[in-house]
Amino acid sequence: SMMAVLMGASTILGTCPTPLFATDAASVAEEITVGATDVDASNSYGLVSANEGNILHAWDWKFTDVTDNIEDIAKAGYSCVQVSPCQACEGFTDNNGWWKSYQPYDYKFGSVYGSEEEFKTMCATAKEYGVHIVVDIVANHIASEDQSKGYSLKDGVDDFWKSNVNSYFHNTGAEFKDDTKRESMVKDNIGVRDVNTENAEVQKRLVDYMEQLIADGADGFRFDAAKHIELPSDDSSTKSNFWPYIINGIKQYKSDVFCYGEILNTAATSLSNYTKYISVTHSMGRIFLIINCFHTFFTQDILRFM
């Protein structure tokens, strides 16, 4: 893993765009390396398909930053750029608020990283260089108050979620604390209210949002907290059709869409139960490395295809 990080770091861009939020740590970029074989003939940089290539995680970058640096990104060998969640969320003005983009108000576009028009421009420009745009999706939870307030939804959350709380959220009242208990992992709160991803209306709302992103130019998706979303293979009290419904649904809209999910440590189930539907990251302890040319932190996850 350390060798993969060091080798990947050697290809990182020589300059860094001005981050959205300037602090001592600046922004974070994550590189995920996948075996590269088939060269995409549509570009002149030897880049491969979204399913095969390197991903530059443009953590906290504005869409305009990606657009302005897309040629250098292509020259550095990145087939994909992963951008932070584009969902509506509480506004923030510095790096310390990054977590708010992972506590969205809805499955709707409303990004702090730029307008929808800037997103479209980024995607269109990336395609000119053979680079694919991957969007981080937060499907597992919605912005909530803390446990002392009973995980009530924050004021900015869309009325859709407030209209039927008992149907749209799991209501165990407990907080997930044990990586070995599958039911707790997929139904308990993780510091914010856990979405009932078994619900058909919730599933359709998510697919509609993903279709909007594809229509705007996105090529793929990374699912945050994937291990906290249930599987068809789970037991009868836990299982759902979320993954086949979402992935099959979005592939009907874009057949070559690239999808993978975040699984850190253990999922309390075989990873093969996820890789029937999506590729997954599986971190065996995260490795942090400071790269002087970026003045930023990089993390390496291992992208496993099974």
Side-chain angles (χ1 to χ4, degrees):
S1 296
M2 178 62 77
M3 181 61 72
V5 173
L6 294 174
M7 292 176 67
S10 68
T11 67
I12 297 294
L13 308 181
T15 58
C16 177
T18 303
L20 175 60
F21 308 117
T23 66
D24 290 341
S27 60
V28 176
E30 180 176 358
E31 183 194 3
I32 303 166
T33 303
V34 189
T37 54
D38 299 326
V39 173
D40 184 346
S42 68
N43 68 83
S44 58
Y45 298 99
L47 301 181
V48 295
S49 69
N51 287 284
E52 299 276 332
N54 294 325
I55 301 173
L56 176 67
H57 187 172
W59 175 279
D60 265 6
W61 288 23
K62 292 180 181 179
F63 303 144
T64 53
D65 287 334
V66 176
T67 301
D68 292 344
N69 289 274
I70 199 67
E71 183 174 6
D72 286 336
I73 291 170
K75 287 179 179 177
Y78 292 97
S79 295
C80 296
V81 173
Q82 178 184 310
V83 296
S84 293
C86 299
Q87 291 154 256
C89 67
E90 181 180 349
F92 54 99
T93 57
D94 59 58
N95 288 92
N96 294 327
W98 65 266
W99 53 271
K100 294 178 181 178
S101 65
Y102 286 87
Q103 295 188 14
Y105 287 161
D106 198 4
Y107 298 158
K108 284 185 179 179
F109 194 98
S111 180
V112 299
Y113 302 106
S115 67
E116 188 169 7
E117 285 306 310
E118 288 171 333
F119 179 86
K120 291 178 180 178
T121 298
M122 172 186 66
C123 292
T125 306
K127 281 179 171 56
E128 292 176 8
Y129 290 89
V131 176
H132 307 274
I133 298 297
V134 175
V135 180
D136 212 344
I137 295 286
V138 183
N140 175 71
H141 49 269
I142 293 293
S144 314
E145 301 293 350
D146 59 32
Q147 188 176 22
S148 65
K149 299 180 180 180
Y151 293 113
S152 60
L153 299 175
K154 287 189 175 179
D155 290 341
V157 169
D158 192 89
D159 288 342
F160 166 84
W161 300 97
K162 297 176 180 178
S163 67
N164 197 347
V165 173
N166 289 332
S167 294
Y168 297 153
F169 295 93
H170 293 133
N171 297 287
T172 66
E175 185 167 354
F176 166 71
K177 294 181 179 179
D178 190 344
D179 260 337
T180 67
K181 295 181 179 178
R182 183 70 184 163
E183 185 170 3
S184 174
M185 182 176 291
V186 301
K187 286 197 172 182
D188 290 343
N189 301 308
I190 59 170
V192 281
R193 198 69 177 268
D194 192 77
V195 170
N196 179 6
T197 38
E198 299 131 84
N199 183 279
E201 293 177 71
V202 167
Q203 293 175 357
K204 183 180 184 305
R205 196 171 184 86
L206 179 59
V207 170
D208 288 346
Y209 169 61
M210 293 168 67
E211 287 181 356
Q212 176 190 359
L213 291 172
I214 288 177
D216 287 348
D219 298 295
F221 304 99
R222 178 260 195 191
F223 291 89
D224 178 69
K227 77 175 185 179
H228 293 285
I229 301 176
E230 65 285 339
L231 292 154
S233 57
D234 288 335
D235 65 34
S236 58
S237 65
T238 306
K239 68 180 181 180
S240 88
N241 69 334
F242 175 88
W243 291 110
Y245 178 88
I246 298 299
I247 302 305
N248 291 335
I250 203 60
K251 283 188 174 181
Q252 289 178 12
Y253 195 79
K254 180 178 172 60
S255 61
D256 62 346
V257 65
F258 171 52
C259 295
Y260 77 100
E262 176 202 29
I263 295 182
L264 303 181
N265 303 318
T266 177
T269 188
S270 170
L271 291 182
S272 64
N273 291 326
Y274 277 96
T275 55
K276 293 175 184 177
Y277 313 105
I278 57 173
S279 301
V280 299
T281 61
H282 178 58
S283 176
M284 295 178 289
R286 287 198 154 194
I287 300 170
F288 292 89
L289 183 66
I290 299 176
I291 306 297
N292 290 331
C293 67
F294 263 91
H295 304 290
T296 187
F297 292 95
F298 293 88
T299 66
Q300 173 76 14
D301 276 336
I302 299 173
L303 188 55
R304 297 181 61 182
F305 289 84
M306 305 177 68

